[in-house]
Every structure is written in structure tokens, then in C-alpha cells.
């Protein structure tokens, strides 16, 4: 059981910086090029307000991270199987959070940014189904905020990658927790029957 708890703790320690990076990336999306004006004028992509990185990949991911890191710290409170069941529930929360971050970031990426073009404020790439990502020469059509397409694409791709890593880590702990919660009592029964 010690190695499975140690494994869970290392997964929790890996989740912590990923969650913090998601929070920072989402906050940077709110302030293109560090400017506050676009938030005040409501000139951001609509899906940014769903806070995929801040909520799903960030704050929600802190739950499994803390649970995994503190696993086994209180020996008097839980038996080992119940402790691993708790980590399984935390892993499911993490899976949901990372999936939410991935889906929202994908929607924002496909929709494209809201920007000022020669026709005024609009979503110039909204009807392209993400094809604008393969046509960087069209990005200059966004006049304000300056380099908003590059800003969004970079941060959203970062969020997508972080969400995938978080999903994999939570999936590993889900498997680890299920195996230990289900198989560990069986192993103890076999040990007792062999010693009897």
C-alpha cells in the first residue's frame, strides 16, 4: 500500500503546478497583452467567461491535488481501502475538471477571438470551424487588440496541453485507487488464510 500512496502523492505534486499554470493562462486570456481595457469594454471571446482554465483546470484540480498529496497522513481516520476510494472520487473530480478545461479551450480556439476589424468589433473567424488556425496570413485582419490571435492561440494551446496532462494524471490515479481499493482487501484475506 505504501508504494500506491507514494505514487498518488507524486501525482498530486505533479497536478499542483499544472493547476497553477491553468489559472495563470486563463487570467492572461482575460487581459490581452496585459491591457485591462478589453475586459472593461466586454471585448473578449464569449467562452472565456466560462473560465475553463481558472475553474476546471485550475481551482477544481486543486481538490484531487490536495487529496492525493495528503493521502495516508491521518492513519487513525480511514482504513486503507476507504482512503483509496476517497482518492478515486477525487480523481473523478479531476477528470471532470480537466475535461471541462479541454472542451471550453477548444470552443474558444474554434470560435476565434473577438477583435476590431475593418468592419468593427466582431468574431471574424467564428464561421470557419477553426480553419483560420492554418491560415496565419488572415490573422492580421484583427487590428485590435494587437496580436490577439497569436495571444489566444498560444494560451489556449497551452491550456489544451495542460488539460490533457491533468486528465492522464487523474486517470492514472483512478486506476491506482481502484486496483488498491478492490484488490487490497483480497490480498489481506489471502495472507491471513496462508498464515492460519
Amino acid at each position: 500500500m505504501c508504494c500506491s500512496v507514494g505514487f498518488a502523492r507524486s501525482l498530486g505534486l505533479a497536478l499542483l503546478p499544472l493547476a497553477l499554470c491553468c489559472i495563470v493562462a486563463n487570467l492572461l486570456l482575460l487581459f490581452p497583452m496585459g491591457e485591462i481595457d478589453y475586459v472593461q469594454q466586454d471585448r473578449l471571446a464569449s467562452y472565456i467567461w466560462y473560465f475553463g482554465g481558472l475553474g476546471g483546470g485550475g481551482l477544481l484540480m486543486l481538490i484531487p491535488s490536495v487529496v492525493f498529496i495528503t493521502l495516508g497522513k491521518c492513519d487513525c481516520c480511514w482504513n486503507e481501502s476507504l482512503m483509496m476510494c476517497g482518492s478515486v472520487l477525487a480523481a473523478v473530480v479531476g477528470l471532470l475538471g480537466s475535461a471541462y478545461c479541454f472542451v471550453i479551450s477548444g470552443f474558444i480556439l474554434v470560435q476565434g477571438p473577438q477583435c476590431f476589424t475593418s468592419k468593427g468589433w466582431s468574431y471574424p473567424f467564428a464561421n470557419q470551424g477553426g480553419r483560420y488556425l492554418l491560415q496565419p496570413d488572415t490573422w492580421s485582419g484583427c487590428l485590435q487588440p494587437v496580436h490577439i490571435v497569436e495571444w489566444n492561440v498560444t494560451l489556449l494551446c497551452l491550456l489544451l496541453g495542460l488539460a490533457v496532462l491533468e486528465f492522464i494524471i487523474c486517470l492514472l490515479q483512478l486506476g491506482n485507487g481502484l486496483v488498491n481499493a478492490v484488490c487490497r482487501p483480497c490480498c489481506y484475506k489471502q495472507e491471513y488464510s496462508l498464515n492460519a
Side-chain angles (χ1 to χ4, degrees), residues 65-113:
S65 179
V66 169
V67 169
F68 299 166
I69 291 170
T70 59
L71 208 57
K73 296 280 185 183
C74 179
D75 294 331
C76 61
C77 305
W78 303 24
N79 70 31
E80 293 173 353
S81 293
L82 189 59
M83 180 176 59
M84 291 313 273
C85 288
S87 77
V88 166
L89 292 176
V92 170
V93 169
L95 289 171
L96 293 173
S98 61
Y100 180 76
C101 179
F102 186 86
V103 168
I104 295 300
S105 299
F107 280 147
I108 300 171
L109 202 55
V110 169
Q111 180 188 38

Side-chain angles (χ1 to χ4, degrees), residues 20-189:
L20 295 176
C21 287
C22 282
I23 291 170
V24 169
N26 200 146
L27 290 175
L28 288 172
L29 281 170
L30 293 173
F31 306 104
M33 306 308 152
E35 296 181 28
I36 193 170
D37 300 337
Y38 302 108
V39 176
Q40 293 172 338
Q41 299 168 3
D42 196 25
R43 299 290 185 199
L44 298 174
S46 59
Y47 286 114
I48 288 178
W49 297 108
Y50 286 66
F51 298 114
L54 184 66
L59 297 176
L60 201 57
M61 199 55 62
L62 292 177
I63 295 170
S65 179
V66 169
V67 169
F68 299 166
I69 291 170
T70 59
L71 208 57
K73 296 280 185 183
C74 179
D75 294 331
C76 61
C77 305
W78 303 24
N79 70 31
E80 293 173 353
S81 293
L82 189 59
M83 180 176 59
M84 291 313 273
C85 288
S87 77
V88 166
L89 292 176
V92 170
V93 169
L95 289 171
L96 293 173
S98 61
Y100 180 76
C101 179
F102 186 86
V103 168
I104 295 300
S105 299
F107 280 147
I108 300 171
L109 202 55
V110 169
Q111 180 188 38
Q114 181 183 22
C115 62
F116 185 77
T117 64
S118 58
K119 299 176 184 174
W121 286 97
S122 67
Y123 291 93
F125 310 114
N127 297 326
Q128 294 184 9
R131 287 188 304 276
Y132 77 96
L133 296 168
L134 302 173
Q135 301 164 344
D137 53 318
T138 62
W139 297 358
S140 60
C142 280
L143 306 173
Q144 269 187 336
V146 179
H147 302 295
I148 185 64
V149 180
E150 293 90 338
W151 181 267
N152 276 13
V153 168
T154 302
L155 292 172
L156 292 169
C157 286
L158 178 66
L159 280 172
L160 287 170
L162 291 170
V164 168
L165 290 174
E166 290 173 340
F167 191 87
I168 291 169
I169 288 172
C170 288
L171 197 59
L172 285 171
Q173 180 52 31
L174 180 68
N176 178 37
L178 284 174
V179 166
N180 281 290
V182 173
C183 295
R184 194 68 179 173
C186 300
C187 295
Y188 281 136
K189 286 180 186 174

Side-chain angles (χ1 to χ4, degrees), residues 189-196:
K189 286 180 186 174
Q190 288 178 353
E191 286 176 16
Y192 292 132
S193 65
L194 290 176
N195 292 333

